[in-house]
Amino acid sequence: MTDLLEKFRPLAEAREALTQSSQDPFRVIIERILSPTEAIVNGHPMILAGTNNYLGLTFDPQCIQAAVQAVQEQGTGTTGSRMANGSFSGHLALEHELAEFFGRRWCNVFSTGYQANLGVIAALTGQGDVILIDADCHASIYDGCRMSGAEVIRFRHNDVADLCKRLARLGKRCANTLIIVEGLYSMFGDRAALREIAITKREYGAYLLVDEAHSLGVLGERGRGLAEEAGVEDSVDFVVGTFSKSLGAIGGYCVSDHPEVDLARYVSRPYIFTASPCPSIVASTRAALQKLRTEPALRVRLWDNARRLYDELKGLGFRLGPEPSPIIAARLGQKDETIAFWNGLLDQGVYVNMILPPAAPDGSSLLRCSVSAAHTPDQINRICRAFASVKAALSSDLTDCHGAIRS
Ligand code: PMP
């Protein structure tokens, strides 16, 4: 018999190894946050290039003002679930505004984007149903699948032929099948092949859920996401998303024309058994949604920055995702090289996300940047220069090392 806590030993050893060679990425302390794109980290000024703050709204004066006013008028928290304690009028207003923005009849708001996926997937599907999931979907989608008790079948990332093959095998069960994909995938920033997926879904009579966590405010003429950009909103049954990226707060939602989304409130455990979003969050999210709707220039600036960074890093020889996007991930070689690179960037004053196996799809090690509309041209230049200089320093280290071995 092994001790209950024995399972932590490999984790402790892995963390020890990480801290020997570098800073522990889980212990980076943002000592002072200065703006959507700058902070003081370990006493040094840092450009934030991994925050998902796509529209840069976290310091927007109107969003802040709305949050402050809500705290003053309604207090710091709701201290309970909507089921047990009732809804604040702000919850209903936010749901109404989101439904209207998406041109849908129904909207449910959840306390986080993670819970939105758990709550919606586990309410829509259960034993006897099938979920067909893109292999690269986010952990919250996988966890929702597990919670649902449905049969879960993965199809190869963005491979519509593989999806078709699996639907064909299901025959009549397609009517009990929910297909789940993301708008922009969170690791490499690539788009789902949504037009083809929508055709397939219609052909087989299945349901389609799209997680637009990274595409709200980023894609589509009005910022509604990939379904809008691809012109297939009519074929998407359920859109899930989060307030924690373009809207600069925390929380999640599902919008749909199916009235069952509203009924799901009565059965969705991640909706019922947790406290509802606090007034300041609801207020700043409503203000941010208003900005997203009325200031398309934010989206233009975001894409200018994204294309510039993508092109520059590609020009420097980094292996990136298949298309420019506000999520730009450089695939590095070994884990050690990635850790060294990430530390080099920190020394240069640039903070990006380090993704080590097994977190990234296909076991790769990544340095993931996310671009913001709030990045200035100078900050984008400095991010590029940092990547170039760390690359040069590390390859000269390698050359020295090979030289030493040869001599
Ligand atoms: N879906 C996707 C695709 C995500 O990337 C994330 C978070 N990164 C979530 C859902 C969960 O959202 P939140 O962090 O707002 O809970």
Side-chain angles (χ1 to χ4, degrees):
M1 277 290 261
T2 54
D3 184 86
L4 177 74
L5 303 180
E6 188 62 26
K7 61 176 92 59
F8 284 90
R9 190 200 289 262
L11 196 56
E13 286 166 5
R15 188 172 76 179
E16 184 60 26
L18 197 60
T19 44
Q20 296 285 308
S21 62
S22 69
Q23 302 216 48
D24 178 351
F26 298 112
R27 293 198 184 178
V28 167
I29 310 292
I30 312 281
E31 287 148 10
R32 268 177 57 213
I33 178 96
L34 305 173
S35 77
T37 57
E38 297 154 302
I40 303 294
V41 176
N42 300 343
H44 299 291
M46 199 67 66
I47 299 175
L48 300 174
T51 59
N52 305 317
N53 198 350
Y54 298 122
L55 301 183
L57 291 178
T58 47
F59 279 77
D60 178 83
Q62 280 164 306
C63 296
I64 290 175
Q65 177 53 34
V68 168
Q69 193 177 334
V71 167
Q72 284 168 343
E73 291 174 359
Q74 302 170 53
T76 52
T78 62
T79 67
S81 145
R82 288 171 69 179
M83 201 60 137
N85 296 36
S87 295
F88 283 33
S89 57
H91 294 133
L92 298 174
L94 175 56
E95 286 178 343
H96 177 76
E97 285 157 14
L98 279 164
E100 200 221 326
F101 171 64
F102 281 98
R104 304 274 185 165
R105 250 171 279 156
W106 306 102
C107 175
N108 272 8
V109 158
F110 294 81
S111 301
T112 67
Y114 178 85
Q115 283 163 299
N117 271 328
L118 293 192
V120 171
I121 296 168
L124 291 175
T125 58
Q127 263 186 3
D129 298 325
V130 180
I131 304 174
L132 266 171
I133 177 182
D134 184 290
D136 281 8
C137 276
H138 187 257
S140 56
I141 296 174
Y142 275 93
D143 292 356
C145 291
R146 206 181 296 176
M147 197 171 177
S148 77
E151 183 183 347
V152 181
I153 303 172
R154 286 192 302 175
F155 61 95
R156 277 199 297 274
H157 176 53
N158 236 353
D159 185 335
V160 184
D162 194 35
L163 171 65
C164 283
K165 195 171 78 189
R166 289 164 194 281
L167 279 164
R169 281 193 204 137
L170 287 171
K172 286 204 178 87
R173 294 183 76 198
C174 285
N176 282 61
T177 297
L178 180 65
I179 302 167
I180 306 183
V181 299
E182 292 179 21
L184 278 181
Y185 282 89
S186 56
M187 286 295 148
F188 292 108
D190 51 327
R191 290 167 168 83
L194 202 56
R195 224 167 288 157
E196 294 83 346
I197 292 170
I199 293 169
T200 307
K201 168 257 164 167
R202 288 200 302 269
E203 199 177 312
Y204 286 91
Y207 290 86
L208 177 60
L209 182 155
V210 182
D211 180 343
E212 301 263 22
H214 293 273
S215 27
L216 169 70
V218 172
L219 297 178
E221 206 181 319
R222 282 161 289 193
R224 301 203 306 210
L226 180 63
E228 184 192 15
E229 185 188 78
V232 296
E233 287 176 293
D234 284 353
S235 301
V236 176
D237 298 279
F238 310 100
V239 174
V240 172
T242 172
F243 306 150
S244 70
K245 305 186 196 302
S246 285
L247 297 174
I250 185 167
Y253 61 89
C254 174
V255 292
S256 175
D257 284 330
H258 294 289
E260 288 75 12
V261 159
D262 196 42
L263 285 172
R265 293 182 204 275
Y266 299 95
V267 292
S268 175
R269 297 173 70 86
Y271 177 85
I272 298 168
F273 294 106
T274 195
S276 58
C278 63
S280 56
I281 292 295
V282 171
S284 80
T285 301
R286 291 177 64 192
L289 181 63
Q290 185 59 14
K291 291 255 151 186
L292 186 159
R293 297 178 80 152
T294 54
E295 295 187 22
L298 290 172
R299 203 149 45 252
V300 173
R301 222 156 50 224
L302 169 67
W303 275 97
D304 283 349
N305 283 341
R307 286 197 197 92
R308 265 200 50 224
L309 185 60
Y310 185 91
D311 291 347
E312 295 267 349
L313 293 186
K314 204 163 180 85
L316 288 168
F318 287 98
R319 289 188 298 144
L320 308 179
E323 53 183 323
S325 131
I327 300 168
I328 302 169
R331 224 184 259 268
L332 296 200
Q334 299 299 313
K335 192 170 147 188
D336 289 351
E337 181 194 347
T338 310
I339 294 169
F341 209 113
W342 180 77
N343 272 286
L345 289 176
L346 275 188
D347 291 342
Q348 298 273 328
V350 173
Y351 182 73
V352 303
N353 313 127
M354 176 166 64
I355 322 277
L356 299 177
D362 67 25
S364 23
S365 295
L366 308 176
L367 293 178
R368 176 189 179 277
C369 307
S370 59
V371 177
S372 173
H375 282 124
T376 62
D378 178 57
Q379 287 172 332
I380 299 286
N381 281 341
R382 279 156 59 201
I383 298 167
C384 297
R385 280 205 304 272
F387 267 89
S389 103
V390 176
K391 185 174 191 229
L394 287 181
S395 55
S396 77
D397 278 359
L398 274 177
T399 316
D400 288 352
C401 169
H402 291 315
I405 290 165
R406 269 196 300 273
S407 61

